Amino acid sequence: MPCAGATDWPNPMTASGEEQFIAEHLAPLTRGIPSAFDLRDDCAEWTLLPGHSLVVKTDPIVEGVHFFSEDTPEDLAWKALAVNVSDLVAKAARPVAYLMALTLPARPQDNWMRRFASGLSDAQQAFGCVLVGGDTDQRDGPLSIAITMLGETPSDGMIRRQGARVGDLVYVSGELGGAALGLNLRRDADFHGGVVSERDRAAALARYLRPAPKLGIRAALRAAARSAMDISDGLVKDLDRMCRLTGVGAELELASLPLAAGVRSIFTSNVDEGLRLASAGDDYEVLATVPESEGRRFERLAGKGGVRVTCIGRIVSSPGVRMAGLSADNVAKMTGYDHFDKNTGG
Amino acid sequence: MPCAGATDWPNPMTASGEEQFIAEHLAPLTRGIPSAFDLRDDCAEWTLLPGHSLVVKTDPIVEGVHFFSEDTPEDLAWKALAVNVSDLVAKAARPVAYLMALTLPARPQDNWMRRFASGLSDAQQAFGCVLVGGDTDQRDGPLSIAITMLGETPSDGMIRRQGARVGDLVYVSGELGGAALGLNLRRDADFHGGVVSERDRAAALARYLRPAPKLGIRAALRAAARSAMDISDGLVKDLDRMCRLTGVGAELELASLPLAAGVRSIFTSNVDEGLRLASAGDDYEVLATVPESEGRRFERLAGKGGVRVTCIGRIVSSPGVRMAGLSADNVAKMTGYDHFDKNTGG
């Protein structure tokens, strides 16, 4: 893997030191809230709303693993926040603040850093959180942005991954496979070139760069979901994880999967490839199980929050994820991403 | 910088997947507390004690920057936790839980991972915290261990970096310069060879590998300190940061600096070098300012907590850090570490 930033962040540097760098580029992202002490203290102090618990998550994104060296600073900033917000949203928690450990291969140029901070600012505003602390280091190696996201939830109100029961409906938000198609297009611009329209290609590329956490689904989850998680490693793999926690399985309807438009085009001409994309990961959609009696309410509340949810199947007693009309082999092709499989970009 | 782990973590790997890896090596570190959900959920949920605030900090340690490739897994684990606990302690907060983002250059051998987890287990027990979440990734590049430490403090009870007033006494815990001497010995085993005794060399090497956060100082800070921080980038640099927040300065007594034994030996033969080591960073001692009327009480309470504190000077109105008996040039040599200065090991 190439050492990052050789062209983006040339020596000699223009900024005069770590403190000035923080004061200039990062401190404005605190929006002046007292908890952050203008990033001039060693720690942040956060007071939760009465009767609330902290929900917390850390997930780094690393150059060459989660993004490409040529991605724009604005897109990196968005993705770094979005992948963590996505986790909190699926727990029905409200993202409120974050810490950022930025590990850079060289001191960044002012222009790069301004654009990165501007991307963070946009993402913060979209997700409703502010920067409260962090750390900046320089070392040889890929650029790494490690966000720790703090969220709040009414005490013991976190929707857990564990909880799926036989008979529950399985829901997914938004669309599947778009980000995976975008990733494949980044690696090979001609990927299924004759099949996917220009417009769908553009949408897939955008989806890979800018995951869209479904903040509007939280009320629906809190009111009606038995279990939930976000889909980061792929539909089948993540659903299987959910099911195994309560010793159940799932039967999905292939026809009901809400495929991204480009993925649907590929699926029509090449079922295997369409399935692989639909469950390859990076969707950052919410997967939830809902008691059958609560299905309509779940859909209505999600809709009120501006989020489309689709019932894609049902929880069953027999372990494993099956799909009506597909062989076990075909389902096995949908197993998704393992962070220990060497897989640039996944 | 060499790509880490080529010898420590050879392919092919023995563990069968990310989940098994987490279940086997990391889940036991949660000690079964409900907040961590056995590391099988996407987030951790933490409920603070009533009337308490969260104090939070993230600080990664990176191979080639904060530790050497040949350091043992047990020592890395200790240091990764200690540098974050140190920050919380200086805020008078109680460390309670942590998240860990582990970025590995290859899937670790079971034996390495067992030793690393055993080191975390020892450090957890020493510092009073448990693992509640995190993330594991693999990519080319140096090993990185990013801990986010969660602590609790009575609401608005965090001792801040800002607050030093003219007339305050300046205190430091423990000893200065040992870790910096250890780092220099790691780079050059003959460093001041004729001057530092074998015993003092061993102590310095141990101090570099295993910072010792002063957990016992928290009651003293809470009762008597006006401002505090931990010394990670060097005494003069960090004290100057503290002072600038309230527009004050400090006058220190050279003779009162609690130098580590090996550093004192060097100082005796080479004042400049002794001074440089005394303020080079990595001490992870607590620096505090205390109203003069509270000095005795501060010392007594720290002593009750098993922590030796030394009064090294006083806050004055004139900005900057001066040292009685030293020229400004000599003090300038004590400016410590900047994370944007290329500086392996600092």
Side-chain angles (χ1 to χ4, degrees):
Chain A
M1 195 171 307
C3 175
T7 50
D8 284 350
W9 306 321
N11 284 302
M13 303 309 169
T14 52
S16 71
E18 191 179 3
E19 279 174 82
Q20 189 187 323
F21 173 89
I22 292 168
E24 183 177 343
H25 296 294
L26 300 177
L29 296 169
T30 68
R31 303 278 186 259
I33 65 159
S35 290
F37 307 112
D38 295 327
L39 304 184
R40 294 194 294 192
D41 212 307
D42 307 282
C43 298
E45 181 173 14
W46 191 267
T47 304
L48 293 168
L49 293 173
H52 282 62
S53 294
L54 176 76
V55 177
V56 62
K57 166 74 184 182
T58 187
D59 215 350
I61 66 166
V62 179
E63 181 178 17
V65 181
H66 307 96
F67 61 88
F68 291 87
S69 300
E70 63 269 27
D71 288 346
T72 70
E74 292 89 344
D75 286 335
L76 303 191
W78 181 278
K79 186 175 261 189
L81 252 64
V83 302
N84 283 283
V85 165
S86 172
D87 277 307
L88 261 66
V89 161
K91 310 282 100 185
R94 188 169 72 92
V96 290
Y98 66 99
L99 297 96
M100 176 173 66
L102 196 54
T103 312
L104 300 159
R107 191 184 298 199
Q109 276 195 313
D110 273 356
N111 185 47
W112 186 94
M113 196 58 213
R114 254 194 299 274
R115 292 178 58 190
F116 181 69
S118 147
L120 285 176
S121 179
D122 290 348
Q124 283 187 187
Q125 199 165 346
F127 304 145
C129 54
V130 294
L131 179 68
V132 292
D135 181 78
T136 308
D137 272 311
Q138 185 190 331
R139 54 106 183 90
D140 291 336
L143 169 62
S144 161
I145 308 161
I147 299 285
T148 299
M149 185 65 61
L150 310 179
E152 289 185 346
T153 182
S155 288
D156 299 318
M158 183 177 125
I159 307 298
R160 293 181 51 187
R161 190 189 283 190
Q162 176 166 346
R165 288 195 211 159
V166 174
D168 281 359
L169 302 175
V170 179
Y171 277 93
V172 68
S173 68
E175 293 180 343
L176 297 172
L181 175 56
L183 173 59
N184 279 277
L185 286 167
R186 287 295 295 273
R187 288 172 174 157
D188 170 13
D190 287 333
F191 186 75
H192 291 271
V195 176
V196 183
S197 73
E198 275 308 311
R199 185 182 157 167
D200 292 346
R201 293 157 63 90
L205 286 164
R207 184 55 193 269
Y208 171 72
L209 284 174
R210 298 230 168 187
K214 297 299 186 287
L215 287 139
I217 204 174
R218 289 170 297 160
L221 289 171
R222 204 173 295 127
R226 194 110 72 182
S227 65
M229 69 186 294
D230 76 328
I231 306 177
S232 56
D233 293 343
L235 171 67
V236 171
K237 180 164 191 173
D238 285 335
L239 179 55
D240 188 51
R241 284 174 172 156
M242 262 175 101
C243 287
R244 277 189 281 123
L245 291 175
T246 46
V248 296
E251 275 180 13
L252 304 184
E253 288 284 341
L254 184 56
S256 63
L257 294 184
L259 302 180
V263 177
R264 185 162 296 283
S265 304
I266 292 171
F267 179 80
T268 306
S269 69
N270 182 334
V271 173
D272 279 4
E273 184 83 333
L275 287 177
R276 190 182 66 75
L277 291 170
S279 196
D282 273 352
D283 293 306
Y284 300 107
E285 296 292 351
V286 175
L287 183 65
T289 80
V290 175
E292 185 164 15
S293 60
E294 298 287 322
R296 290 274 169 241
R297 187 159 163 244
F298 182 73
E299 291 173 23
R300 195 179 63 245
L301 287 169
K304 271 180 76 173
V307 178
R308 189 182 62 149
V309 293
T310 308
C311 180
I312 59 171
R314 190 178 284 275
I315 298 296
V316 297
S317 59
S318 168
V321 175
R322 281 168 304 284
M323 209 166 294
L326 276 192
S327 70
D329 269 6
N330 263 319
V331 178
K333 285 177 185 144
M334 301 178 69
T335 48
Y337 183 74
D338 186 312
H339 288 256
F340 279 149
D341 291 340
K342 200 77 186 186
N343 184 345
T344 300
Chain B
M1 197 171 306
C3 174
T7 51
D8 284 348
W9 306 322
N11 284 302
M13 304 307 168
T14 52
S16 72
E18 190 178 3
E19 279 174 81
Q20 189 188 321
F21 174 88
I22 292 168
E24 183 177 343
H25 295 294
L26 300 178
L29 296 169
T30 69
R31 303 278 186 260
I33 64 157
S35 289
F37 307 112
D38 295 328
L39 304 184
R40 293 193 297 190
D41 212 306
D42 307 282
C43 298
E45 183 174 11
W46 191 268
T47 304
L48 293 167
L49 294 173
H52 282 62
S53 294
L54 176 76
V55 177
V56 62
K57 166 76 185 181
T58 188
D59 214 351
I61 66 167
V62 179
E63 182 178 16
V65 181
H66 308 96
F67 61 87
F68 291 88
S69 301
E70 63 269 27
D71 288 346
T72 70
E74 292 90 343
D75 286 335
L76 302 191
W78 181 277
K79 185 175 262 190
L81 252 65
V83 299
N84 282 283
V85 165
S86 171
D87 277 308
L88 262 66
V89 161
K91 309 282 100 182
R94 188 169 71 92
V96 289
Y98 66 100
L99 297 97
M100 177 174 65
L102 196 55
T103 312
L104 301 158
R107 192 183 296 201
Q109 277 194 313
D110 273 356
N111 184 46
W112 187 94
M113 196 56 213
R114 254 194 298 275
R115 292 178 59 191
F116 181 69
S118 147
L120 285 176
S121 179
D122 289 349
Q124 283 187 188
Q125 200 164 347
F127 304 145
C129 53
V130 294
L131 179 67
V132 293
D135 181 78
T136 309
D137 273 310
Q138 186 189 333
R139 54 105 183 92
D140 291 336
L143 168 63
S144 160
I145 308 161
I147 298 285
T148 299
M149 185 65 61
L150 310 180
E152 289 184 346
T153 182
S155 288
D156 299 318
M158 183 177 125
I159 306 299
R160 293 181 52 188
R161 190 190 282 191
Q162 175 166 347
R165 288 194 211 161
V166 173
D168 280 0
L169 303 176
V170 178
Y171 278 92
V172 68
S173 68
E175 292 181 344
L176 297 172
L181 174 56
L183 172 59
N184 279 277
L185 287 167
R186 288 294 294 275
R187 289 173 174 157
D188 170 13
D190 287 332
F191 186 76
H192 291 272
V195 176
V196 183
S197 73
E198 274 309 311
R199 183 181 159 168
D200 293 345
R201 292 158 64 90
L205 287 164
R207 183 54 193 269
Y208 171 73
L209 285 173
R210 299 230 168 189
K214 298 298 186 290
L215 287 140
I217 203 175
R218 289 171 298 160
L221 289 172
R222 203 172 297 127
R226 193 112 69 184
S227 65
M229 68 185 295
D230 75 328
I231 305 177
S232 57
D233 293 341
L235 170 67
V236 171
K237 181 166 189 169
D238 285 336
L239 178 55
D240 188 51
R241 283 175 172 155
M242 265 176 100
C243 287
R244 276 188 284 123
L245 290 175
T246 46
V248 297
E251 276 180 14
L252 304 184
E253 287 285 340
L254 183 57
S256 64
L257 294 184
L259 302 179
V263 177
R264 184 162 297 283
S265 305
I266 292 171
F267 179 81
T268 307
S269 70
N270 183 334
V271 173
D272 279 2
E273 184 85 333
L275 287 177
R276 190 183 65 77
L277 291 169
S279 198
D282 273 352
D283 293 306
Y284 300 108
E285 295 292 352
V286 176
L287 183 65
T289 79
V290 175
E292 184 163 16
S293 60
E294 297 288 321
R296 290 274 168 243
R297 188 158 163 242
F298 181 73
E299 291 174 24
R300 195 179 64 246
L301 287 169
K304 271 181 75 174
V307 178
R308 188 183 61 147
V309 292
T310 307
C311 180
I312 60 171
R314 188 179 287 274
I315 298 296
V316 296
S317 58
S318 168
V321 175
R322 283 168 301 282
M323 208 167 291
L326 274 194
S327 70
D329 269 6
N330 263 319
V331 177
K333 284 175 186 145
M334 301 178 70
T335 49
Y337 182 74
D338 186 312
H339 288 255
F340 279 148
D341 291 340
K342 201 75 187 186
N343 183 345
T344 300

